[in-house]
């Protein structure tokens, strides 16, 4: 049994996409990040970066104590290795999956996250910051579109690289992008959206909390953090 510490955001959805595809038994432990639950000591013990998702695997391969993991890319790799699915098996194919997973973790996720921040949440509209991240989003969509030319999925067959990337494309309108400008991304997006596991993963997310409007209280918690804690 796997405990998934989760809130329905793009990084959270990555993990339910995997668990639903693989048919793994898991239990969702909600971490209401807008209410500050990511600062609970029990959660910080498994996720010291005060960010979800995190998992605890109570039945690791080979037995022994439970293993806890934070960082969605590390979780996807762990699960892909454990269940032997959604990752290339020979050296070249595995390296390709890992490289595109890291592209999502180091580029697509952080840049689109800043796009959301400056477009939707920043108290002042700073044109330089908005342009910077909308343009970078556009560039990254272009990279993904070229990669998907002649391929059904990022590495050929459906993998953890797709599961990491898809949830970040879901809010494409809020990111100032049009899918028609990226026909390969559009085809890929529709194909993943129609997968039964994707439908179930997002339905479970909606049951937990959905994408509620960000309250002023939540903004203070999420955007006022320093090394000393909340500002
Ligand atoms: N690099 C991390 C990022 C996770 C992340 O940013 N999670 C956000 C929600 S999408 C969060 O938990 N935020 C809580 C906070 O900002 O305090 C990962 O991929 O797991």
């Amino acid at each position: 049994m796997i405990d998934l510490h989760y809130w329905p955001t793009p990084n959270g959805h990555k993990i339910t996409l995997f668990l639903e595809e693989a048919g793994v038994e898991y239990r969702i432990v909600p971490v209401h990040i807008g209410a500050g639950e990511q600062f609970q000591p029990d959660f910080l013990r498994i996720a010291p970066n005060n960010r979800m998702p995190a998992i605890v695997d109570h039945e690791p391969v080979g037995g022994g104590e439970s293993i806890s993991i934070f960082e969605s890319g590390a979780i996807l790799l762990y699960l892909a290795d454990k269940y032997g699915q959604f990752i290339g098996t020979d050296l070249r194919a595995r390296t390709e999956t890992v490289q595109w997973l890291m592209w999502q973790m180091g580029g697509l996720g952080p840049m689109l996250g800043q796009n959301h921040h400056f477009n939707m949440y920043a108290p002042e509209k700073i044109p330089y910051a908005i342009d910077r991240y909308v343009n970078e989003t556009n560039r990254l969509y272009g990279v993904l579109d070229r990669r998907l030319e002649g391929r059904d999925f990022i590495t050929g067959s459906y993998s953890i690289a797709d599961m990491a990337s898809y949830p970040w494309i879901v809010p494409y309108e809020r990111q100032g992008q049009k899918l028609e400008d990226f026909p390969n991304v559009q085809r890929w997006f529709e194909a993943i959206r129609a997968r039964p596991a994707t439908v179930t993963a997002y339905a479970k997310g909606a049951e937990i909390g959905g994408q509620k409007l960000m309250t002023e209280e939540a903004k203070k918690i999420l955007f006022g953090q320093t090394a000393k804690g909340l500002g």
Side-chain angles (χ1 to χ4, degrees), residues 5-32:
H5 297 259
Y6 163 93
W7 196 246
T9 73
N11 289 316
H13 292 309
K14 292 175 184 176
I15 313 303
T16 48
L17 285 179
F18 184 101
L19 295 167
E20 291 298 330
E21 283 286 345
V24 172
E25 206 187 328
Y26 68 102
R27 182 173 75 105
I28 289 181
V29 183
V31 183
H32 187 339

Short mmCIF file of all heavy atoms in Angstrom, two decimals, residues 5-32:
data_model
loop_
_atom_site.label_atom_id
_atom_site.label_comp_id
_atom_site.label_asym_id
_atom_site.label_seq_id
_atom_site.Cartn_x
_atom_site.Cartn_y
_atom_site.Cartn_z
N HIS A 5 0.67 11.73 -0.40
CA HIS A 5 0.39 13.03 0.21
C HIS A 5 0.21 14.01 -0.94
O HIS A 5 1.15 14.24 -1.71
CB HIS A 5 1.53 13.42 1.15
CG HIS A 5 1.66 12.45 2.29
ND1 HIS A 5 1.17 12.72 3.55
CD2 HIS A 5 2.18 11.19 2.34
CE1 HIS A 5 1.39 11.67 4.34
NE2 HIS A 5 2.01 10.74 3.63
N TYR A 6 -0.99 14.56 -1.03
CA TYR A 6 -1.43 15.10 -2.32
C TYR A 6 -2.40 16.25 -2.18
O TYR A 6 -3.20 16.29 -1.25
CB TYR A 6 -2.11 13.92 -3.03
CG TYR A 6 -3.00 14.21 -4.20
CD1 TYR A 6 -2.50 14.20 -5.50
CD2 TYR A 6 -4.37 14.46 -4.01
CE1 TYR A 6 -3.34 14.44 -6.59
CE2 TYR A 6 -5.20 14.69 -5.09
CZ TYR A 6 -4.68 14.69 -6.38
OH TYR A 6 -5.50 14.90 -7.44
N TRP A 7 -2.30 17.17 -3.15
CA TRP A 7 -3.34 18.16 -3.37
C TRP A 7 -3.49 18.30 -4.88
O TRP A 7 -2.49 18.11 -5.60
CB TRP A 7 -2.95 19.51 -2.71
CG TRP A 7 -4.14 20.43 -2.56
CD1 TRP A 7 -4.32 21.62 -3.19
CD2 TRP A 7 -5.28 20.25 -1.72
NE1 TRP A 7 -5.52 22.19 -2.81
CE2 TRP A 7 -6.12 21.35 -1.90
CE3 TRP A 7 -5.69 19.23 -0.83
CZ2 TRP A 7 -7.36 21.50 -1.25
CZ3 TRP A 7 -6.91 19.37 -0.18
CH2 TRP A 7 -7.72 20.49 -0.38
N PRO A 8 -4.71 18.52 -5.38
CA PRO A 8 -4.89 18.47 -6.84
C PRO A 8 -4.33 19.68 -7.59
O PRO A 8 -5.05 20.60 -7.99
CB PRO A 8 -6.41 18.37 -7.01
CG PRO A 8 -6.99 18.87 -5.75
CD PRO A 8 -5.98 18.66 -4.66
N THR A 9 -3.03 19.69 -7.76
CA THR A 9 -2.33 20.71 -8.55
C THR A 9 -1.56 19.95 -9.64
O THR A 9 -1.48 18.71 -9.57
CB THR A 9 -1.32 21.47 -7.68
OG1 THR A 9 -0.21 20.59 -7.43
CG2 THR A 9 -1.91 21.96 -6.37
N PRO A 10 -0.95 20.65 -10.59
CA PRO A 10 -0.22 19.91 -11.64
C PRO A 10 0.80 18.90 -11.08
O PRO A 10 0.88 17.77 -11.56
CB PRO A 10 0.45 21.02 -12.44
CG PRO A 10 -0.50 22.19 -12.31
CD PRO A 10 -1.03 22.09 -10.89
N ASN A 11 1.55 19.29 -10.07
CA ASN A 11 2.55 18.34 -9.54
C ASN A 11 1.89 17.16 -8.83
O ASN A 11 2.41 16.04 -8.86
CB ASN A 11 3.54 19.05 -8.61
CG ASN A 11 4.47 19.96 -9.39
OD1 ASN A 11 4.98 19.56 -10.44
ND2 ASN A 11 4.69 21.17 -8.92
N GLY A 12 0.77 17.40 -8.21
CA GLY A 12 0.03 16.30 -7.57
C GLY A 12 -0.54 15.35 -8.61
O GLY A 12 -0.45 14.12 -8.47
N HIS A 13 -1.12 15.90 -9.68
CA HIS A 13 -1.75 15.05 -10.70
C HIS A 13 -0.75 14.06 -11.33
O HIS A 13 -1.13 12.97 -11.74
CB HIS A 13 -2.34 15.91 -11.82
CG HIS A 13 -3.52 16.73 -11.41
ND1 HIS A 13 -4.62 16.20 -10.76
CD2 HIS A 13 -3.79 18.06 -11.55
CE1 HIS A 13 -5.50 17.17 -10.53
NE2 HIS A 13 -5.02 18.30 -10.99
N LYS A 14 0.52 14.47 -11.42
CA LYS A 14 1.52 13.57 -12.04
C LYS A 14 1.46 12.18 -11.40
O LYS A 14 1.57 11.16 -12.07
CB LYS A 14 2.94 14.11 -11.80
CG LYS A 14 3.28 15.38 -12.50
CD LYS A 14 4.68 15.82 -12.04
CE LYS A 14 5.09 17.15 -12.61
NZ LYS A 14 6.41 17.61 -12.09
N ILE A 15 1.32 12.17 -10.07
CA ILE A 15 1.45 10.90 -9.36
C ILE A 15 0.16 10.07 -9.44
O ILE A 15 0.21 8.85 -9.59
CB ILE A 15 1.86 11.12 -7.88
CG1 ILE A 15 3.02 12.13 -7.79
CG2 ILE A 15 2.23 9.80 -7.21
CD1 ILE A 15 4.26 11.76 -8.57
N THR A 16 -0.99 10.75 -9.39
CA THR A 16 -2.23 9.97 -9.55
C THR A 16 -2.31 9.42 -10.97
O THR A 16 -2.85 8.34 -11.19
CB THR A 16 -3.48 10.79 -9.17
OG1 THR A 16 -3.42 12.06 -9.80
CG2 THR A 16 -3.62 10.96 -7.68
N LEU A 17 -1.75 10.16 -11.94
CA LEU A 17 -1.74 9.62 -13.32
C LEU A 17 -1.00 8.28 -13.33
O LEU A 17 -1.46 7.30 -13.92
CB LEU A 17 -1.07 10.60 -14.29
CG LEU A 17 -1.85 11.84 -14.70
CD1 LEU A 17 -1.02 12.70 -15.65
CD2 LEU A 17 -3.17 11.47 -15.36
N PHE A 18 0.16 8.23 -12.69
CA PHE A 18 0.92 6.97 -12.67
C PHE A 18 0.15 5.88 -11.93
O PHE A 18 -0.02 4.76 -12.43
CB PHE A 18 2.29 7.15 -12.01
CG PHE A 18 3.11 5.88 -12.07
CD1 PHE A 18 4.11 5.74 -13.02
CD2 PHE A 18 2.84 4.78 -11.24
CE1 PHE A 18 4.84 4.55 -13.12
CE2 PHE A 18 3.55 3.60 -11.33
CZ PHE A 18 4.55 3.48 -12.28
N LEU A 19 -0.29 6.19 -10.73
CA LEU A 19 -0.89 5.14 -9.88
C LEU A 19 -2.16 4.58 -10.52
O LEU A 19 -2.41 3.37 -10.45
CB LEU A 19 -1.18 5.72 -8.49
CG LEU A 19 0.08 6.11 -7.70
CD1 LEU A 19 -0.29 6.96 -6.49
CD2 LEU A 19 0.89 4.88 -7.28
N GLU A 20 -2.92 5.45 -11.19
CA GLU A 20 -4.12 4.97 -11.87
C GLU A 20 -3.76 4.12 -13.09
O GLU A 20 -4.37 3.09 -13.33
CB GLU A 20 -5.02 6.14 -12.28
CG GLU A 20 -5.66 6.86 -11.10
CD GLU A 20 -6.60 5.97 -10.28
OE1 GLU A 20 -7.19 5.04 -10.86
OE2 GLU A 20 -6.74 6.20 -9.06
N GLU A 21 -2.77 4.55 -13.85
CA GLU A 21 -2.36 3.77 -15.04
C GLU A 21 -1.87 2.39 -14.63
O GLU A 21 -2.16 1.39 -15.28
CB GLU A 21 -1.21 4.48 -15.79
CG GLU A 21 -1.63 5.65 -16.63
CD GLU A 21 -2.37 5.30 -17.93
OE1 GLU A 21 -2.33 4.12 -18.35
OE2 GLU A 21 -2.98 6.20 -18.50
N ALA A 22 -1.08 2.34 -13.54
CA ALA A 22 -0.46 1.08 -13.14
C ALA A 22 -1.41 0.22 -12.31
O ALA A 22 -1.09 -0.93 -12.01
CB ALA A 22 0.83 1.37 -12.35
N GLY A 23 -2.56 0.77 -11.92
CA GLY A 23 -3.53 0.01 -11.12
C GLY A 23 -2.99 -0.33 -9.74
O GLY A 23 -3.29 -1.39 -9.18
N VAL A 24 -2.21 0.61 -9.19
CA VAL A 24 -1.61 0.38 -7.87
C VAL A 24 -2.62 0.76 -6.78
O VAL A 24 -3.35 1.74 -6.91
CB VAL A 24 -0.35 1.26 -7.74
CG1 VAL A 24 0.21 1.23 -6.33
CG2 VAL A 24 0.70 0.85 -8.75
N GLU A 25 -2.58 -0.01 -5.68
CA GLU A 25 -3.45 0.33 -4.55
C GLU A 25 -2.80 1.50 -3.78
O GLU A 25 -1.61 1.41 -3.42
CB GLU A 25 -3.55 -0.89 -3.64
CG GLU A 25 -4.82 -0.91 -2.82
CD GLU A 25 -4.79 -2.05 -1.81
OE1 GLU A 25 -4.18 -3.10 -2.12
OE2 GLU A 25 -5.35 -1.86 -0.72
N TYR A 26 -3.54 2.56 -3.57
CA TYR A 26 -2.97 3.69 -2.83
C TYR A 26 -4.06 4.42 -2.05
O TYR A 26 -5.24 4.28 -2.33
CB TYR A 26 -2.24 4.66 -3.78
CG TYR A 26 -3.11 5.42 -4.75
CD1 TYR A 26 -3.44 6.75 -4.54
CD2 TYR A 26 -3.61 4.81 -5.91
CE1 TYR A 26 -4.23 7.47 -5.44
CE2 TYR A 26 -4.40 5.52 -6.81
CZ TYR A 26 -4.71 6.84 -6.58
OH TYR A 26 -5.49 7.54 -7.47
N ARG A 27 -3.55 5.21 -1.08
CA ARG A 27 -4.46 5.95 -0.22
C ARG A 27 -4.05 7.42 -0.31
O ARG A 27 -2.84 7.73 -0.18
CB ARG A 27 -4.26 5.46 1.21
CG ARG A 27 -5.14 6.09 2.25
CD ARG A 27 -4.91 5.37 3.59
NE ARG A 27 -3.64 5.75 4.19
CZ ARG A 27 -3.51 6.57 5.23
NH1 ARG A 27 -4.58 7.10 5.79
NH2 ARG A 27 -2.33 6.85 5.74
N ILE A 28 -5.00 8.30 -0.59
CA ILE A 28 -4.67 9.72 -0.67
C ILE A 28 -4.74 10.34 0.72
O ILE A 28 -5.73 10.17 1.44
CB ILE A 28 -5.63 10.46 -1.62
CG1 ILE A 28 -5.34 10.05 -3.08
CG2 ILE A 28 -5.51 11.98 -1.45
CD1 ILE A 28 -6.20 10.73 -4.12
N VAL A 29 -3.65 11.04 1.09
CA VAL A 29 -3.64 11.82 2.32
C VAL A 29 -3.63 13.29 1.87
O VAL A 29 -2.61 13.77 1.37
CB VAL A 29 -2.38 11.52 3.17
CG1 VAL A 29 -2.43 12.29 4.49
CG2 VAL A 29 -2.20 10.03 3.40
N PRO A 30 -4.76 13.99 1.98
CA PRO A 30 -4.79 15.36 1.46
C PRO A 30 -3.85 16.29 2.23
O PRO A 30 -3.74 16.20 3.45
CB PRO A 30 -6.26 15.79 1.66
CG PRO A 30 -7.02 14.52 1.87
CD PRO A 30 -6.06 13.57 2.52
N VAL A 31 -3.15 17.15 1.49
CA VAL A 31 -2.31 18.18 2.10
C VAL A 31 -2.84 19.50 1.56
O VAL A 31 -2.50 19.91 0.44
CB VAL A 31 -0.82 18.02 1.68
CG1 VAL A 31 0.05 19.07 2.38
CG2 VAL A 31 -0.31 16.62 1.98
N HIS A 32 -3.69 20.14 2.32
CA HIS A 32 -4.34 21.37 1.84
C HIS A 32 -3.30 22.50 1.90
O HIS A 32 -3.11 23.13 2.94
CB HIS A 32 -5.57 21.64 2.71
CG HIS A 32 -6.41 22.77 2.20
ND1 HIS A 32 -5.94 23.75 1.34
CD2 HIS A 32 -7.71 23.07 2.42
CE1 HIS A 32 -6.90 24.60 1.06
NE2 HIS A 32 -8.00 24.21 1.70
#
